[in-house]
Amino acid sequence: GGNPKGCPIGAPAKEGVDCPGGGFSYGPYAEKFNFSDVQVTEWRAGEVVEAAWGVIANHGGGYSYRLCKVPEEGVSALTEECFQSTPLDFYGDKQWVQYGEDSSTRIEFTANRTRSGTTPPGSQWTKNPIPACNRPDGGYFAEKDDCPEGTQFPPPAEGLFGFGEVATAAGMPTFFFSIGDFLKVPVDLVPGDYVLSFRWDCEQSPQIWNSCSNIKILPQTP
């Protein structure tokens, strides 16, 4: 999408507009693309579920999860306003990193969550717990992703820090974990097909990263 500084959607910076940290989307609009063999995850209204995300370019900031019921017109009619109407609460004060699909590799720590100053008002956001390196580029232009100059804030556990990649090997991850949380599914959701939006608002750059998943909400267990 567009950059909060006024950069256009779907194109590089327009003349006379500075787009720090980028400002245009890559490829076709996801809501207008016909994906095949889509994985659908079933959640039940009122239950506690798990969600996780991975990072390769660590720009700090915070994130939230939101749900939108698929409109009659299909996913092409999804809107940010719809997602903001159903922000999900995190469950508990713990989060974790996990390496691969093996839950025994989890490293748990206390999450930093807030409802103060959030959008929509009162929605719950969680801080990206992994600190980048203590330098203007976060460590991207370093030789190694090892932060010899220290980190931007204390790591939540040993070894959990860095930018996630370096410029000399762009696109090759140095993080091999995902960041997990428990979420509370609202009890009053109408059963049906939904889309889960993960929204990450960066701190080190004026960027918003978003990814989506297909969710089927089942009735609450009697």
Side-chain angles (χ1 to χ4, degrees), residues 26 28 36 44 86 110 120 160 173 203:
Y26 297 88
S36 61
R44 193 170 292 278
T86 313
T110 300
L160 299 182
E203 181 178 16

Side-chain angles (χ1 to χ4, degrees), residues 41-209:
T41 300
E42 293 185 348
W43 288 352
R44 193 170 292 278
E47 74 175 350
V48 174
V49 297
E50 294 183 6
W53 64 289
V55 57
I56 191 173
N58 187 6
H59 289 91
Y63 60 95
S64 68
Y65 289 94
R66 305 91 55 79
L67 279 173
C68 175
K69 195 173 190 303
V70 177
E72 292 183 3
E73 303 89 334
V75 295
S76 62
L78 292 169
T79 64
E80 173 65 13
E81 289 74 19
C82 179
F83 284 118
Q84 288 194 19
S85 70
T86 313
L88 297 183
D89 281 347
F90 293 90
Y91 183 82
D93 63 353
K94 300 295 183 183
Q95 62 181 162
W96 62 86
V97 299
Q98 179 174 313
Y99 294 83
E101 298 182 3
D102 185 357
S103 61
S104 70
T105 67
R106 287 188 179 181
I107 302 172
E108 189 180 74
F109 41 83
T110 300
N112 188 343
R113 312 200 197 278
T114 186
R115 297 183 188 274
S116 176
T118 56
T119 299
S123 60
Q124 193 174 33
W125 289 65
T126 293
K127 177 182 177 180
N128 173 359
I130 310 301
C133 301
N134 192 21
R135 45 188 287 166
D137 64 358
Y140 180 63
F141 290 107
E143 292 185 9
K144 296 181 179 180
D145 197 18
D146 55 1
C147 299
E149 59 282 282
T151 57
Q152 295 181 6
F153 56 87
E158 184 177 356
L160 299 182
F161 60 82
F163 192 74
E165 64 173 338
V166 293
T168 54
M172 300 297 294
T174 60
F175 294 164
F176 299 101
F177 54 79
S178 55
I179 301 167
D181 296 275
F182 288 116
L183 306 174
K184 178 68 173 179
V185 182
V187 70
D188 58 351
L189 287 182
V190 176
D193 294 324
Y194 286 73
V195 172
L196 175 71
S197 164
F198 165 79
R199 174 170 169 156
W200 172 26
D201 285 45
C202 299
E203 181 178 16
Q204 193 164 345
S205 62
Q207 294 176 317
I208 296 170
W209 293 87

